[in-house]
């Protein structure tokens, strides 16, 4: 997606987006490095979820993204629910949906789930074609129309529901050493005595030590 | 971890960190919301990996974090390898290690892996106690000494190796509808005809629709 910054700003202006939404878009695009359609929709989703929860972005919230595609990034940038601080879980369900909940000392926490509504999306033909990966959609010729339709639609393609999310307490752990690579891992991540990096999750081949 | 911003800055100054490292620390702490020890080590790891790769942070790189703890965030903030733009993979191995590689049209891409070296860490008793989750470590009384030792150690607790990372091409997909929830997902994420959110990856209970 190559779209000039000026063009993007003028599209935002033409749809009378609020200053806070504009600021979210700018920060999310800088983080993600380009204005991916899913990222833009994700910004509307996070903004909607937070407002339904009656929360403010400065509050300590927890989030789930049901897809790896784009949606994790607005949760990270706007809410500081990051992968590394454990306030974001990405669950590989494959749905373009997110949920947001508050911290809780109870077993369950009240949350809001926001998703792309397959009925509502039908009113927006370019979004529909892109979202369903229809061969009729061409990034090159329809990319700008898609962004325009996303800004025009805003929350209008989204639905939301109240949910209860199970609170997962922090687990205790002891350090262990993998006998193959010699590196340290939590003991409960050793499988048959060997770390997953030397076992089922190996993802690289060694090509030389560095002094 | 509650440490005053002033105190943190004076610790950085006392260890003569470079201006670019200081900037990384500030941006990563803001994103992560607090100066977690693993986050600070992660900043040194990313900086080291990128310099060994001979890359610049503005370059389009790909990254792996071998843990969900802290390390994904410096990769996201410094390199813009984010979960949502698919340039970061978090592989749940449980090791405090990262790798960085360039894009490639070949089957494998040259990369650099940086990890906490269990031999080198022995020279830093506070880091050692914290990293191995030793009961002798107390966040309250040792937290500041830990951060001081992390800044003092810098790359001195890290080792690196050259690796080859398999390049995974983008997969083609078709849209499908889950017959239970009615939402859209890629067809290959339906399991026995049902989406994972209505199946094995269910993570919430419904508590009411929102108009």
């Amino acid at each position: 997606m190559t779209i000039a910054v000026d063009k993007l700003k003028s599209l935002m202006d033409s749809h009378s987006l609020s200053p806070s939404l504009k600021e979210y878009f700018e920060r999310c695009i800088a983080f993600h490095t380009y204005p991916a359609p899913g990222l833009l929709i994700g910004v509307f989703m996070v903004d909607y979820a937070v407002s339904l929860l009656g929360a403010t972005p400065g509050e300590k919230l927890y989030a789930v993204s049901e897809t790896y595609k784009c949606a994790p990034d607005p949760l990270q940038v706007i809410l500081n629910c990051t992968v590394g601080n454990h306030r974001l879980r990405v669950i590989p369900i494959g749905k373009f949906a997110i949920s947001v909940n508050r911290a809780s000392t109870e077993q369950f926490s009240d949350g809001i789930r926001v998703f792309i509504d397959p009925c509502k999306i039908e009113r927006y033909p370019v979004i529909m074609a892109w979202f369903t990966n229809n061969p009729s959609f061409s990034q090159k010729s329809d990319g700008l129309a898609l962004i325009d339709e996303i800004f025009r639609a805003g929350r209008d393609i989204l639905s939301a529901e109240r949910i209860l999310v199970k609170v997962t307490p922090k687990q205790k752990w002891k350090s262990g050493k993998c006998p193959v690579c010699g590196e340290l891992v939590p003991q409960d991540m050793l499988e048959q005595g060997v770390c997953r990096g030397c076992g089922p999750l190996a993802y690289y081949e060694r090509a030389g030590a560095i002094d």
Side-chain angles (χ1 to χ4, degrees), chain A:
Chain A
M1 173 73 60
T2 49
I3 175 171
V5 175
D6 285 357
K7 183 69 198 160
L8 196 72
K9 286 193 175 167
S10 85
L11 272 177
M12 283 195 232
D13 287 337
S14 72
H15 291 292
S16 313
L17 301 175
S18 73
S20 68
L21 269 175
K22 276 192 208 172
E23 192 223 323
Y24 294 162
F25 282 118
E26 280 168 23
R27 287 167 51 210
C28 289
I29 292 166
F31 182 70
H32 195 79
T33 72
Y34 67 105
L39 182 84
L40 306 179
I41 294 174
V43 170
F44 284 113
M45 294 177 106
V46 173
D47 181 59
Y48 189 28
V50 167
S51 77
L52 286 171
L53 198 64
T56 53
E59 229 179 299
K60 188 174 183 179
L61 302 173
Y62 292 80
V64 169
S65 172
E66 298 182 18
T67 177
Y68 277 96
K69 293 182 184 173
C70 296
D73 286 358
L75 289 164
Q76 296 194 102
V77 171
I78 300 169
L79 303 185
N80 294 102
C81 295
T82 77
V83 172
N85 72 15
H86 299 293
R87 285 168 44 200
L88 172 65
R89 284 185 294 160
V90 183
I91 302 182
I93 292 170
K95 288 188 199 169
F96 208 81
I98 61 152
S99 70
V100 174
N101 64 277
R102 289 200 171 86
S104 174
T105 53
E106 307 292 316
Q107 210 187 339
F108 286 90
S109 171
D110 293 317
I112 298 288
R113 179 174 181 264
V114 173
F115 56 99
I116 291 193
D117 191 314
C119 299
K120 296 182 179 176
I121 209 174
E122 284 180 2
R123 291 176 236 156
Y124 297 89
V126 188
I127 297 177
M128 183 73 180
W130 162 76
F131 188 65
T132 56
N133 205 20
N134 192 304
S136 70
F137 177 80
S138 151
Q139 182 58 53
K140 198 173 172 188
S141 51
D142 304 324
L144 209 59
L146 174 60
I147 292 185
D148 187 58
E149 221 175 68
I150 289 169
F151 283 141
R152 181 155 60 83
R155 296 179 181 180
D156 200 33
I157 54 170
L158 306 176
S159 283
E161 57 187 339
R162 300 193 186 281
I163 60 171
L164 293 168
V165 183
K166 197 166 184 183
V167 176
T168 46
K170 214 172 169 177
Q171 288 187 316
K172 292 191 173 178
W173 60 278
K174 283 188 177 179
S175 183
K177 186 178 259 195
C178 171
V180 178
C181 63
E183 293 179 46
L184 302 174
V185 285
Q187 266 178 15
D188 61 0
M189 297 193 88
L190 293 169
E191 291 185 5
Q192 297 177 316
V194 176
C195 85
R196 294 174 186 170
C198 294
L201 297 184
Y203 74 93
Y204 60 85
E205 291 180 18
R206 291 202 159 80
I210 293 168
D211 291 335

